[in-house]
Amino acid sequence: MLEPTMFMGTSAWKLQNDVLMAIILPEHGGKVASLVYRSQNWELLFQNPNGTFRKAHRGDDFSDYEACGFDDAFPTVDACEVQMGGRTVQYPDHGELWSAAFTAEAIGEMLCLRWQSPELGYTYEKQIHLAGNRLVCSYRIHNPGNEPLPALWVCHCLVHCEPGMRIVMPPEVTQVENTFTSDWLGEATTKLSYPMAAGPRGNIDLQVMPPDGALKYYAASAVKEGCCRYEYPASQMAAQLEYDSTMLPYLGFWATGGGYRGDINCALEPTNGYYDGIPNARQHNACPVLTPDETWNFTLSIQLYPLV
């Protein structure tokens, strides 16, 4: 079933099958605001604590708005200046999409979302459907212009946290890089072993949530396996992200145990660049560029299932 609805006072679309229910907000960047495993009424996504969604505009500070649910961060996470064709272009905080109003069209049981950037010219399409216990998002990003477009795509999917939950990266991840100075991981750019790391406050298991503060790290090199997951033993549920690692070869992790606005959530973040902003990705020789008339096509799915 696919039908229009309202969610927290905002126009939305509801996708539902025998296993899952999802809520999509086209006017808020195509945000997936809810993803529920129906038989247990179990919600994966971190919910909006404010109860309503305010309309943002390009260039607004992401932290001033409702950081919740599953957004696509494109063409950056960190606000930055980018040189393009002899001009300086401002890439806004967490990209352009979260504040954009997408058009939405129902095609059978699939929701098709579309938007074109007035500033940068690219077209962005996302098709969302349910397949059994999976939410499937298929992306098409096209550059119709004459200038190369440096662009990071980051899965910004904030999930709820429970005591005892575990974050599972692919087994090949044995080292991570800290992205900002924190009590837990020390100085920015510090390399740490994974999953057990030695930080300023002692040994820390990076597969569990920090009890306070905030942290963010990336697998220190490209990851071949396009699969990572959350395990929730208290709820006997798991959520697995599956994606094409040739398109999204890097993997980050964000967690706040109340250190960011008092929120408690976390996010595994598959991405195509390393990491978070264009200048930093260029410095690491890991900045993708969408060339004129090029199209990026890729798929990311989230599978919910009971732990056994």
Side-chain angles (χ1 to χ4, degrees), residues 177-181 185 187-189 215-218 275-276:
E177 181 173 351
N178 182 28
T179 69
F180 63 82
T181 299
L185 302 185
E187 295 294 322
T189 74
L215 57 81
K216 187 171 186 179
Y217 58 80
Y218 272 81
Y275 53 80
D276 282 358

Side-chain angles (χ1 to χ4, degrees), residues 109-187:
E109 295 298 307
M110 178 179 294
L111 183 65
C112 299
L113 302 168
R114 299 181 180 90
W115 184 72
Q116 183 165 15
S117 170
E119 300 289 336
L120 300 176
Y122 63 86
T123 59
Y124 193 95
E125 299 181 17
K126 177 164 64 172
Q127 297 181 343
I128 305 175
H129 72 277
L130 301 179
N133 64 341
R134 285 179 168 86
L135 174 81
V136 182
C137 300
S138 299
Y139 298 91
R140 183 182 187 276
I141 310 172
H142 177 65
N143 179 7
N146 298 318
E147 296 179 351
L149 180 72
L152 303 182
W153 186 93
V154 183
C155 173
H156 194 266
C157 182
L158 299 174
V159 305
H160 88 274
C161 297
E162 295 179 1
M165 73 176 291
R166 295 193 68 77
I167 298 93
V168 184
M169 286 192 163
E172 67 192 276
V173 178
T174 60
Q175 187 181 55
V176 298
E177 181 173 351
N178 182 28
T179 69
F180 63 82
T181 299
S182 69
D183 291 345
W184 286 108
L185 302 185
E187 295 294 322

Side-chain angles (χ1 to χ4, degrees), residues 8-196:
M8 295 189 182
T10 298
S11 297
W13 286 82
K14 180 168 74 172
L15 290 79
Q16 184 169 294
N17 64 11
D18 292 341
V19 185
L20 301 178
M21 187 277 292
I23 298 291
I24 318 298
L25 309 183
E27 295 179 7
H28 296 269
K31 179 195 294 287
V32 183
S34 177
L35 181 59
V36 173
Y37 192 80
R38 295 182 62 202
S39 65
Q40 298 189 31
N41 195 31
W42 185 78
E43 171 69 67
L44 171 66
L45 302 180
F46 178 66
Q47 292 298 288
N48 179 2
N50 298 327
T52 59
F53 288 90
R54 294 167 299 149
K55 179 56 184 170
H57 301 90
R58 188 185 192 277
D60 285 349
D61 187 338
F62 185 79
S63 64
D64 289 339
Y65 290 83
E66 292 75 32
C68 58
F70 175 12
D71 294 301
D72 308 335
F74 184 87
T76 188
V77 174
D78 295 339
C80 55
E81 291 186 347
V82 179
Q83 298 300 316
M84 292 176 57
R87 60 193 175 103
T88 299
V89 179
Q90 301 290 333
Y91 279 17
D93 181 27
H94 281 71
E96 295 189 308
L97 303 182
W98 68 274
S99 61
F102 280 62
T103 61
E105 179 184 9
I107 302 178
E109 295 298 307
M110 178 179 294
L111 183 65
C112 299
L113 302 168
R114 299 181 180 90
W115 184 72
Q116 183 165 15
S117 170
E119 300 289 336
L120 300 176
Y122 63 86
T123 59
Y124 193 95
E125 299 181 17
K126 177 164 64 172
Q127 297 181 343
I128 305 175
H129 72 277
L130 301 179
N133 64 341
R134 285 179 168 86
L135 174 81
V136 182
C137 300
S138 299
Y139 298 91
R140 183 182 187 276
I141 310 172
H142 177 65
N143 179 7
N146 298 318
E147 296 179 351
L149 180 72
L152 303 182
W153 186 93
V154 183
C155 173
H156 194 266
C157 182
L158 299 174
V159 305
H160 88 274
C161 297
E162 295 179 1
M165 73 176 291
R166 295 193 68 77
I167 298 93
V168 184
M169 286 192 163
E172 67 192 276
V173 178
T174 60
Q175 187 181 55
V176 298
E177 181 173 351
N178 182 28
T179 69
F180 63 82
T181 299
S182 69
D183 291 345
W184 286 108
L185 302 185
E187 295 294 322
T189 74
T190 299
K191 299 288 182 67
L192 304 119
S193 60
Y194 183 89
M196 296 299 300

Side-chain angles (χ1 to χ4, degrees), residues 171-272:
E172 67 192 276
V173 178
T174 60
Q175 187 181 55
V176 298
E177 181 173 351
N178 182 28
T179 69
F180 63 82
T181 299
S182 69
D183 291 345
W184 286 108
L185 302 185
E187 295 294 322
T189 74
T190 299
K191 299 288 182 67
L192 304 119
S193 60
Y194 183 89
M196 296 299 300
R201 293 170 65 172
N203 291 336
I204 176 174
D205 184 352
L206 297 177
Q207 290 187 306
V208 302
M209 280 287 295
D212 55 57
L215 57 81
K216 187 171 186 179
Y217 58 80
Y218 272 81
S221 58
V223 181
K224 294 180 180 178
E225 183 180 353
C227 180
C228 53
R229 69 182 183 276
Y230 309 94
E231 295 179 348
Y232 295 86
S235 297
Q236 284 296 290
M237 289 294 300
Q240 182 160 288
L241 278 64
E242 299 174 355
Y243 51 92
D244 181 358
S245 62
T246 62
M247 286 294 296
L248 306 174
Y250 301 101
L251 180 58
F253 177 71
W254 152 264
T256 170
Y260 173 72
R261 310 192 319 181
D263 293 347
I264 299 175
N265 58 53
C266 65
L268 286 160
E269 298 187 347
T271 175
N272 64 344

